[in-house]
Amino acid sequence: MPHKPFVRTLRAQWLGQQLRALREQRGMTLKLVSEHLQRDMSALGRYERADWPIRKGDVTALLDLYGFHHAAERARLLALAEEVWRTDRWDEDYGDVVDASFIEYPWLEGRAEKVCCFHLTLVPGLLQTREYAEAVIRNAAEPDVPEATIGRWVELRMSRQEVLKKNRPIKISVVLDEAVLRRQVGGAEILRRQLEHLGEMRRLSGVHIRVLPASVALHQGLDGTFWIFCLPDPYPAVAYVESLGGRLYLESPKAERFVLAYDRLWRAALGDRESATMIETIAKELS
């Protein structure tokens, strides 16, 4: 009976990326590591790419070779090695195996070929102006957060937009509820400049923005905002949802529900030209 192919799970991808980062930090080549551990070089490469599931014993050997002895982080990576096959839900409360540092939203954003987003309340971070982003970040921060921290968070959000300027920039497809265009985040002037920025961004070849008008009363996004990260083949898509209860990532096959929902939202929204006209009209109303 043939073996089922290994699904390149998020856990496997994240573990492989961490092992590759440690190897490169030590200035070691795959050839050097394979010779030292007496492993096949191509197998080590497949571990790092998550093409094959890596055994816990091999992770231990690699961490020893790289001199990585931080107890908590080492235990986390070893525990992760036992679960690379899992594709069920996980979030920042996923027991002792992972915490909020297990996966990073920017990591997914940076390696995705395309990001699809339906937003019910705000302009997505990749398309925010600095002023709009600062208003959003200040609203979410605790009252006693230092100004320097606020500034650092704003810079981090702005730096994430570099994925739109790479040699092969990420493609972004967005459906915005009409309420997003009318919610005066930071005040009327900041919103006006944000809407003008959307008009400029949609001229980029890889950016597509549509508006879901208020006249569409019932639609697939009533449960809230969500993102879909379309990763390069052969990696499956990942869906992301954020709420007061935490951050939730869903892998295939559960991510397919979001893919289908987004397709229906895209078709229910105004066309490209009509969406651009609505954004421009509301911006002029704010002048």
Side-chain angles (χ1 to χ4, degrees), residues 11-61:
R11 289 171 172 84
Q13 292 178 60
W14 179 250
L15 179 58
Q17 187 268 345
Q18 296 294 294
L19 293 175
R20 178 179 178 178
L22 285 172
R23 175 176 62 78
E24 291 178 344
Q25 287 170 12
R26 302 305 189 269
M28 296 182 179
T29 63
L30 280 173
K31 185 175 185 296
L32 179 65
V33 173
S34 64
E35 289 175 351
H36 185 86
L37 296 181
Q38 297 183 336
R39 298 285 194 278
D40 183 79
M41 186 172 69
S42 63
L44 291 175
R46 292 187 179 100
Y47 291 155
E48 291 186 356
R49 296 192 303 272
D51 291 342
W52 284 357
I54 186 170
R55 295 176 298 180
K56 185 177 179 180
D58 285 333
V59 175
T60 299

Side-chain angles (χ1 to χ4, degrees), residues 83-135:
E83 308 219 331
V84 291
W85 53 271
R86 293 184 61 176
T87 60
D88 55 353
R89 60 166 286 174
W90 50 265
D91 54 31
E92 61 188 355
D93 298 318
Y94 189 84
D96 296 326
V97 177
V98 297
D99 61 9
S101 67
F102 168 69
I103 204 81
E104 296 175 347
Y105 183 99
W107 176 73
L108 273 176
E109 204 170 58
R111 72 193 308 266
E113 290 186 334
K114 181 179 180 181
V115 175
C116 297
C117 173
F118 168 69
H119 223 301
L120 203 57
T121 55
L122 296 168
V123 173
L126 285 178
L127 301 177
Q128 290 177 0
T129 64
R130 180 178 295 273
E131 296 167 308
Y132 188 99
E134 182 175 343

Side-chain angles (χ1 to χ4, degrees), residues 207-245:
V207 178
H208 301 277
I209 303 170
R210 287 190 175 183
V211 178
L212 187 69
S215 58
V216 182
L218 296 174
H219 54 76
Q220 296 297 301
L222 292 176
D223 289 330
T225 296
F226 63 88
W227 290 259
I228 302 166
F229 297 94
C230 302
L231 303 175
D233 287 336
Y235 305 110
V238 178
Y240 172 76
V241 181
E242 189 174 296
S243 71
L244 290 175

